């Protein structure tokens, strides 16, 4: 289908009635940004496959659906025992729980003795001074008019997390954001908005997980604005394991100041349709940007990873490795744009996307895009698509390893390169388990 | 242990084995020699269960089983081992993990408990010595970045750990220098006892100076055209394979 059947009526009707309930409703400037974003959505509607960056991702299943907007937090929607399964036990970082996009005070633990230089609050509870800052960030963010999804998020968001690290926070902060879709009601839509500001010389490890106990249909449309100041560091891991009927659209905008480092790993195994978009604007010199991704598709899933790195200044390095494993009739889309501006001499950018197709019907559309306007740069990209190596399979079997196990070992090995780059053990384990569950076989992966 | 009767096999419709008869008893070392394209490697691979080859007729009995009905992994669990002519590189899978998984699959089949980590490590260390392999290779992915010699030694190392009943060495000597050749031969000789057997496929007589065969068979155009003792290998070496082509390949 080229042109999605759009049903905007739900959104249109909702907007005016909901505005009163949304965060910051008494702030004229906030309302103006929301209005501006909503007008953008009204005028442009959902993107169609005629638009280059949505060519392989038909969002009409989302556009055609009438969603109910989740506004009021209800912590009783998910059983405590269930929530505990999504938390990391014995973890020394901070764990924050969102249920259907709303912050759960009951299940989140923000330590009382937190360093004064660190502020962690959900948007609804943000003090006035920061509310003003938030409005300014919304005004500056590309999200308000990037595309329908980011505009909708700007218009409709009601909660999310605010993480602010002042300059020179001595210790490294670790935060686990646990997004849980209750699945209690069908066709819920929610629009979390995260704002993360990391001051000079400070660093954070942020892991975000998106999970649901059920198999229900819902729509998570999240936007995250990140600013990384001079010599600051962020390690950002996302685990998207939503219900297989769900829609997940996420946009992350990163601004990197000089000598900063942003490292991300996006793991996607959930949802019927997922789009992970990362937009890194590297406007400082000598920055490091690493984008890794691993996606596992089966059934008729569509997983789209859309990345953009903008090198504006000299001496920056970026490295991007995405790997996909697609079974059944699933589809993957990878689009990696690297822009090197005339000033960005000595840029060193590497990109690769490798995909393993496990069935004849699985499909990947891979689109590297390098735009280089500087002459003294090193930029490489490569894409491979292949099946499991039959020779390797026979080799394993010839040593007594069953065909299925051998197959799983090879699939797992393909993913290994991405997994081994993850520093946090709990996060690594959780991704390993998701892969093993998907492979669904007793593989006995005891690694010494 | 192994009895092959009138085995015929082809690949993509082209016949390669044209009626092989061979009998191997425990404690024996058999060598199969022959010129390029005679079907030596095909025989080794058909026995290991490589699916590209189609067995068109014949029977293979191995330790009381109809071998041709078993999947490659079942053959391995029954103690059949193929040392590959071209060992495969498997990125992302460590040698240790691979070998431990293989050993445990075989042990499970034999009704034994899985080997624990400490015992496995001790076994591996001891067996590495017999093939003069560097211990650091264990942690590396299977055969990845190994030299030609290291790959072949790794095959013999795996054999030494898995302790098969019947080992088939598919041109393990090709591309090896004399030192590596001796290491491979030592590995075989250390493992040899009166319960297991070896089928050594080779183009040259050289390896047979170190692994002394009880029987030598000459394969030509997919058939065993001559069988004899160790001296047959020397005769072949002296006269060259052209000797067969000139009509001396009949009878035995």
């Amino acid at each position: 289908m080229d042109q999605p059947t759009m049903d905007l009526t739900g959104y249109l009707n909702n907007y005016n009635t909901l505005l009163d309930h949304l965060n910051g409703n008494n702030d004229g400037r906030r309302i103006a940004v929301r209005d501006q974003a909503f007008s953008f959505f009204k005028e442009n509607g959902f993107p169609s496959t005629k638009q280059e960056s949505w060519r392989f991702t038909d969002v009409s299943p989302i556009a055609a659906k009438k969603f109910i907007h989740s506004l009021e937090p209800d912590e009783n929607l998910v059983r405590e025992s269930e929530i505990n399964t999504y938390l990391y036990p014995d973890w020394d970082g901070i764990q924050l729980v969102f249920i259907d996009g709303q912050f759960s005070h009951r299940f989140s633990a923000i330590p009382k003795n937190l360093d004064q230089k660190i502020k962690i609050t959900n948007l609804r509870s943000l003090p006035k001074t920061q509310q003003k800052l938030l409005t300014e960030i919304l005004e500056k963010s590309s999200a308000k008019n990037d595309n329908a999804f980011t505009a909708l998020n700007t218009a409709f968001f009601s909660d999310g997390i605010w993480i602010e690290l002042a300059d020179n926070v001595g210790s490294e902060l670790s935060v686990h954001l646990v997004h849980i879709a209750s699945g209690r009601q069908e066709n819920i839509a929610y629009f979390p908005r995260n704002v993360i500001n990391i001051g000079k010389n400070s660093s954070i490890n942020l892991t975000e997980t998106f999970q649901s106990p059920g198999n229900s249909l819902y729509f998570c449309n999240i936007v995250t604005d990140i600013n990384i100041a001079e010599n600051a560091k962020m390690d950002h891991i996302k685990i998207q394991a939503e219900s297989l009927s769900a829609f997940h659209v996420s946009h992350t905008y990163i601004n990197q100041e000089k000598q900063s480092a942003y490292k991300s790993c996006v793991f996607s195994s959930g949802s019927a349709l997922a789009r992970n978009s990362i937009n890194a604007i590297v406007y400082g010199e000598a920055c490091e940007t690493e984008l890794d991704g691993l996606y596992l598709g089966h059934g008729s899933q569509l997983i789209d990873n859309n990345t953009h790195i903008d090198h504006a200044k000299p001496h920056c390095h970026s490295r991007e490795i995405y790997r996909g494993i697609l079974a059944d009739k699933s589809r993957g889309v990878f689009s990696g744009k690297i822009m090197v501006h005339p000033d960005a001499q000595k840029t060193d950018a590497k990109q690769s996307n490798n995909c393993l197709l496990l069935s004849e019907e699985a499909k990947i559309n891979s689109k590297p895009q390098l735009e280089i306007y500087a002459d003294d740069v090193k930029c490489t990209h490569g894409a491979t698509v292949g099946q499991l190596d039959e020779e390797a399979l026979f080799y394993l079997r010839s040593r007594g390893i069953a065909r299925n196990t051998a197959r799983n070992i090879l699939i797992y090995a393909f993913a290994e390169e991405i997994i081994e780059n993850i520093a946090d053990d709990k996060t690594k384990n959780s991704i390993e388990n998701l892969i093993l569950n998907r492979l669904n076989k007793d593989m006995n992966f005891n690694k010494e | 242990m192994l009895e092959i009767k009138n085995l015929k096999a082809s690949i993509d419709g082209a016949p390669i084995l044209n009626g092989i008869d061979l009998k191997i008893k425990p404690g024996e070392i058999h060598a199969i020699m022959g010129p390029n394209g005679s079907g030596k490697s095909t025989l080794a691979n058909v026995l290991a269960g490589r699916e590209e080859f189609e067995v068109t007729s014949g029977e293979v009995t191995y330790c009381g089983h109809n071998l041709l009905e078993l999947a490659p992994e079942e053959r391995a669990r029954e103690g059949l081992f193929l040392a590959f002519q071209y060992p495969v590189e498997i990125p992302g899978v460590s040698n240790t993990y691979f070998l431990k998984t293989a050993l445990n699959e075989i042990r499970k089949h034999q009704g034994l408990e899985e080997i624990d980590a400490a015992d496995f490590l001790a076994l591996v260390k001891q067996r590495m010595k017999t093939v003069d392999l560097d211990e650091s290779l264990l942690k590396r992915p299977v055969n990845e970045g190994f030299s030609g010699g290291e790959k072949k030694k790794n095959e013999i190392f795996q054999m030494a750990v898995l302790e098969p009943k019947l080992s088939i060495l598919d041109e393990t000597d090709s591309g090896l220098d004399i030192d590596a050749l001796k290491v491979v031969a030592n590995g075989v000789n250390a493992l040899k006892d009166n319960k297991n057997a070896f089928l050594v496929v080779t183009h040259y007589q050289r390896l047979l100076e170190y692994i002394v065969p009880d029987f030598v068979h000459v394969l030509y155009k997919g058939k065993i055209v001559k069988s004899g003792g160790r001296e047959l290998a020397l005769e072949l070496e002296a006269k060259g394979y052209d000797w067969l082509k000139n009509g001396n390949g009949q009878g035995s």
Side-chain angles (χ1 to χ4, degrees), chain B residues 15-236:
Chain B
I16 300 183
L17 299 183
N18 298 310
I20 303 267
D21 292 283
L22 182 67
K23 214 169 170 177
I24 299 177
K25 292 196 194 110
E28 292 177 349
I29 297 181
H30 289 244
I32 299 243
M33 298 184 71
N36 290 330
S38 59
K40 305 187 298 282
S41 279
T42 301
L43 176 61
N45 280 285
V46 165
L47 293 176
R50 196 186 278 273
E51 279 151 359
E52 292 99 282
F53 298 102
E54 193 196 346
V55 174
T56 48
S57 75
E59 276 173 41
V60 182
T61 315
Y62 167 73
C63 296
H65 298 277
N66 178 353
L67 187 74
L68 301 175
E69 278 182 357
L70 300 181
E73 57 268 35
E74 292 169 323
R75 299 179 193 200
R77 291 173 199 165
E78 289 293 341
L80 189 140
F81 182 92
L82 173 67
F84 280 54
Q85 185 179 3
Y86 304 107
V88 185
E89 295 190 10
I90 311 182
V93 180
S94 86
N95 242 332
T96 316
Y97 172 73
F98 159 61
L99 201 51
K100 195 175 167 196
T101 308
L103 181 62
N104 279 331
E105 292 265 10
I106 292 168
R107 288 177 65 94
K108 212 177 359 176
H109 182 75
Q110 294 169 342
L112 297 170
E113 272 184 30
E114 287 196 358
I115 191 162
D116 73 40
D119 289 347
F120 178 71
L121 210 67
L123 173 71
V124 155
K125 280 193 172 166
Q126 193 240 326
R127 296 297 146 95
M128 279 202 114
K129 277 192 202 126
T130 59
V131 289
D132 184 31
L133 257 186
D134 194 276
E135 240 178 79
S136 67
L137 296 182
L138 274 176
K139 288 185 187 129
R140 298 240 303 265
V142 179
N143 293 324
E144 198 181 48
F146 285 29
S147 70
E150 283 169 341
K151 282 182 184 172
K152 294 295 177 78
K153 286 183 193 172
N154 193 23
E155 296 293 288
I156 302 303
F157 165 61
Q158 290 171 31
M159 184 179 84
V161 171
L162 300 177
E163 298 180 338
K165 287 184 206 149
L166 175 63
S167 302
I168 303 165
L169 275 60
D170 185 10
E171 303 206 26
T172 303
D173 52 334
S174 69
L176 290 188
D177 62 29
I178 195 73
D179 291 330
L181 194 78
K182 282 182 188 166
V183 167
V184 164
N186 285 342
V188 171
N189 292 328
L191 200 69
K192 182 186 186 293
D193 61 26
N194 57 9
K195 292 194 196 77
N196 58 25
F198 293 84
L199 180 61
V200 181
V201 172
T202 179
H203 187 86
Y204 304 101
Q205 186 283 135
R206 197 174 62 145
L207 178 66
L208 305 181
E209 285 174 21
Y210 304 97
I211 302 174
V212 181
D214 301 297
F215 300 94
V216 175
H217 310 278
V218 181
L219 198 64
Y220 184 59
K221 291 185 176 170
K223 280 186 116 149
I224 290 175
V225 290
K226 226 172 171 54
S227 292
R230 189 189 169 189
E231 65 291 346
L232 181 57
L234 296 167
E235 194 178 354
L236 268 176

Side-chain angles (χ1 to χ4, degrees), chain A residues 20-80:
Chain A
D20 287 343
H21 302 279
L22 297 172
N23 161 305
N25 61 38
N26 48 5
D27 172 359
R29 274 174 67 188
R30 177 76 58 85
I31 293 171
V33 190
R34 289 196 192 267
D35 279 348
Q36 200 191 341
F38 194 70
S39 302
F40 175 89
F41 170 69
K42 257 195 313 195
E43 276 160 38
N44 297 281
F46 285 101
S48 85
T49 50
K50 291 200 173 100
Q51 284 166 257
E52 187 54 30
S53 67
W54 297 88
R55 210 170 111 205
F56 303 112
T57 302
D58 177 6
V59 299
S60 57
I62 301 177
K65 200 116 226 142
K66 275 191 184 157
F67 290 100
I68 301 153
H69 293 226
S70 151
L71 273 182
E72 293 308 317
D74 184 350
E75 290 165 328
N76 301 318
L77 285 175
V78 189
R79 281 197 307 271
E80 188 169 352

Side-chain angles (χ1 to χ4, degrees), chain A residues 224-237:
Chain A
T224 304
D225 290 290
I226 298 171
N227 194 74
I228 309 175
E230 187 182 331
N231 205 34
K233 251 174 67 186
M234 176 163 184
D235 202 338
H236 190 185
I237 295 163

Side-chain angles (χ1 to χ4, degrees), chain A residues 101-398:
Chain A
Q102 305 295 334
F103 185 70
S104 163
H105 288 274
R106 189 174 140 207
F107 295 116
S108 302
I110 303 178
K112 294 216 164 52
N113 56 350
L114 202 61
D115 188 333
Q116 292 284 307
K117 292 177 176 169
I118 302 170
K119 290 196 175 68
I120 300 179
T121 324
N122 65 311
L123 296 191
R124 276 175 180 272
S125 318
L126 214 54
K128 236 187 177 150
T129 45
Q130 263 112 0
Q131 287 288 3
K132 236 184 104 188
L133 266 175
L134 171 60
T135 302
E136 281 166 20
I137 287 165
L138 296 173
E139 286 170 345
K140 271 191 270 172
S141 172
S142 319
K144 63 181 184 295
N145 56 7
D146 191 351
N147 61 55
F149 296 102
T150 61
L152 277 176
N153 178 285
T154 307
F156 283 113
F157 81 89
S158 65
D159 210 352
I161 201 74
W162 175 280
I163 300 177
E164 196 185 336
L165 272 72
D167 295 347
N168 309 310
V169 173
S171 55
E172 198 172 56
L173 179 72
S174 288
V175 179
H176 182 199
L177 286 186
V178 186
H179 296 268
I180 301 166
S182 69
R184 271 305 155 85
Q185 200 180 355
E186 284 285 312
N187 303 335
I188 286 262
Y190 54 94
F191 307 86
R193 183 80 181 216
N194 296 331
V195 176
I196 295 154
N197 279 309
I198 310 161
K200 288 180 189 171
N201 308 315
S202 297
S203 66
I204 183 171
N205 294 321
L206 178 72
T207 297
E208 290 182 272
T209 52
F210 297 83
Q211 280 164 305
S212 174
N215 247 325
S216 62
L217 191 160
Y218 55 87
F219 175 29
C220 171
N221 179 11
I222 181 168
V223 171
T224 304
D225 290 290
I226 298 171
N227 194 74
I228 309 175
E230 187 182 331
N231 205 34
K233 251 174 67 186
M234 176 163 184
D235 202 338
H236 190 185
I237 295 163
K238 171 177 165 179
I239 300 176
Q240 187 275 108
E242 306 265 27
S243 130
L244 288 172
S245 313
F247 302 113
H248 179 95
V249 177
S250 113
H251 287 81
T252 307
Y253 299 94
I254 304 116
N255 282 320
Q256 278 188 259
E257 295 178 26
K258 67 176 179 186
Q259 291 160 9
S260 66
Y262 177 73
K263 186 177 169 192
S264 107
C265 178
V266 175
F267 172 82
S268 272
S269 66
S271 68
L273 192 166
R275 164 103 162 183
N276 305 304
S277 176
I278 298 181
N279 209 314
I281 310 292
V282 190
Y283 66 87
E285 289 187 21
C287 291
E288 300 279 339
T289 310
E290 283 181 37
L291 307 182
D292 283 353
L294 180 61
Y295 47 100
L296 258 65
H298 76 153
S300 55
Q301 283 184 285
L302 166 60
I303 300 172
D304 177 348
N305 284 293
N306 189 282
T307 67
H308 183 172
I309 303 175
D310 212 89
H311 286 293
K313 285 283 161 70
H315 299 290
C316 292
H317 293 207
S318 67
R319 198 213 60 189
E320 199 174 353
I321 305 175
Y322 270 74
R323 293 210 160 175
I325 298 163
L326 300 172
D328 307 329
K329 290 178 177 173
S330 64
R331 252 187 351 107
V333 179
F334 172 78
S335 155
K337 188 170 180 177
I338 297 174
M339 174 82 99
V340 182
H341 292 274
D343 278 352
Q345 300 294 2
K346 306 283 181 193
T347 295
D348 186 346
K350 282 192 202 82
Q351 181 193 82
S352 74
N353 173 41
N354 311 303
C355 194
L356 189 56
L357 299 180
L358 300 178
S359 88
E360 301 258 315
E361 289 162 301
K363 204 175 150 190
I364 171 81
N365 293 103
S366 185
K367 200 178 68 171
Q369 241 184 306
L370 266 53
E371 278 187 44
I372 302 167
Y373 300 101
D375 47 22
D376 187 13
V377 298
K378 246 181 12 197
C379 294
T380 59
H381 70 85
T384 62
V385 181
Q387 281 90 37
L388 280 182
D389 181 355
E390 287 294 330
E391 281 292 306
L393 210 53
F394 178 68
Y395 193 70
L396 294 173
R397 293 178 75 193
S398 80

